[in-house]
Structure formats: structure tokens, C-alpha cells
């Protein structure tokens, strides 16, 4: 006894690729769709520019880089710069009480 032949299925409709964004929200002025990313693959450079506040960022690219990657790098670089600035400019805690006088080392040696 032989097996039954399976009916051949026709391939379903191809999935539509959702295009990735190329315009983004600015980190500094918070305007929607004001940041554009230009990829120059031939030169290997990407430029990110905000049309409103003229904030700029430049990065290296390869054949796999997309505009969202450059925007993510910009966010990371801005966060790193902010952290470095906070560390370098750490405020000294002030209080209304005077600092206690250091204990005298000589009083221990006399006993």
C-alpha cells in the first residue's frame, strides 16, 4: 500500500517589510521628526543633524549600518558626556553646622 500524495500548498503572500524611520526626535530641543540622518557609505561617514537647534553628530558606518543605529549611538554618546560632566562637576555638600575639629593625636601619646 502506498502513501497518499499531499496536496501542494501555494506560497502565501510575501510579508511587507516595514521601513525603518529616518527622522527622529531631538534629544536637546525635543522636536519630533527634526533630526535627520544621512549615510554616506562610499565615504564611510554618517551625519546626524537637527534642523531646529542645529545639533550635530558624526560617526563611522559600514555596509550594515542603518539610520536608527546612528541615532542610538548619538543617544549613548550624549548620555556618556552627561555622566562625565556630572563626575567632573560633583557639588560639595554644604551644611550649616561647622565641621568637627579633628581629634588631637598628641593626647593619646601622653597616657
Amino acid at each position: 500500500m502506498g502513501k497518499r500524495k499531499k496536496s501542494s500548498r501555494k506560497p502565501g503572500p510575501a510579508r511587507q517589510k516595514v521601513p525603518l524611520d529616518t527622522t527622529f526626535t531631538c534629544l536637546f530641543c525635543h522636536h519630533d521628526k527634526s533630526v535627520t540622518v544621512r549615510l554616506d557609505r562610499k565615504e564611510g561617514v554618517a551625519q546626524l543633524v537637527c534642523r531646529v537647534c542645529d545639533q550635530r553628530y558624526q560617526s563611522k558606518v559600514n555596509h550594515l549600518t542603518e539610520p536608527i543605529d546612528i541615532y542610538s549611538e548619538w543617544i549613548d554618546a550624549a548620555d556618556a558626556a552627561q555622566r562625565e560632566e556630572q563626575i567632573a562637576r560633583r557639588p560639595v555638600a554644604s551644611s550649616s553646622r561647622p565641621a568637627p575639629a579633628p581629634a588631637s593625636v598628641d593626647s593619646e601619646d601622653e597616657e
Side-chain angles (χ1 to χ4, degrees):
M1 297 193 127
K3 291 185 180 179
R4 290 189 180 182
K5 289 186 178 179
K6 291 183 180 179
S7 63
S8 61
R9 281 189 171 179
K10 294 182 182 178
R15 272 195 181 169
Q16 300 262 336
K17 283 189 178 180
V18 178
L20 297 173
D21 289 339
T22 57
T23 57
F24 307 98
T25 303
C26 182
L27 295 175
F28 298 96
C29 66
H30 303 291
H31 279 87
D32 289 336
K33 297 185 180 182
S34 64
V35 175
T36 57
V37 178
R38 290 191 189 130
L39 299 174
D40 188 358
R41 296 187 197 280
K42 192 172 186 180
E43 297 291 326
V45 175
Q47 295 180 348
L48 179 139
V49 179
C50 177
R51 291 176 291 169
V52 177
C53 67
D54 201 38
Q55 191 64 236
R56 295 177 180 272
Y57 178 74
Q58 194 170 27
S59 179
K60 293 181 180 179
V61 297
N62 59 31
H63 67 283
L64 296 175
T65 306
E66 293 294 328
I68 188 71
D69 299 325
I70 302 303
Y71 182 69
S72 299
E73 285 181 25
W74 181 47
I75 292 172
D76 294 341
D79 287 344
Q82 186 178 13
R83 271 188 255 116
E84 287 177 9
E85 185 177 304
Q86 286 177 350
I87 290 171
R89 202 174 42 134
R90 180 166 261 169
V92 177
S94 63
S95 90
S96 58
R97 293 183 282 156
S104 172
V105 177
D106 295 333
S107 62
E108 294 176 11
D109 293 338
E110 292 175 8
E111 290 182 89

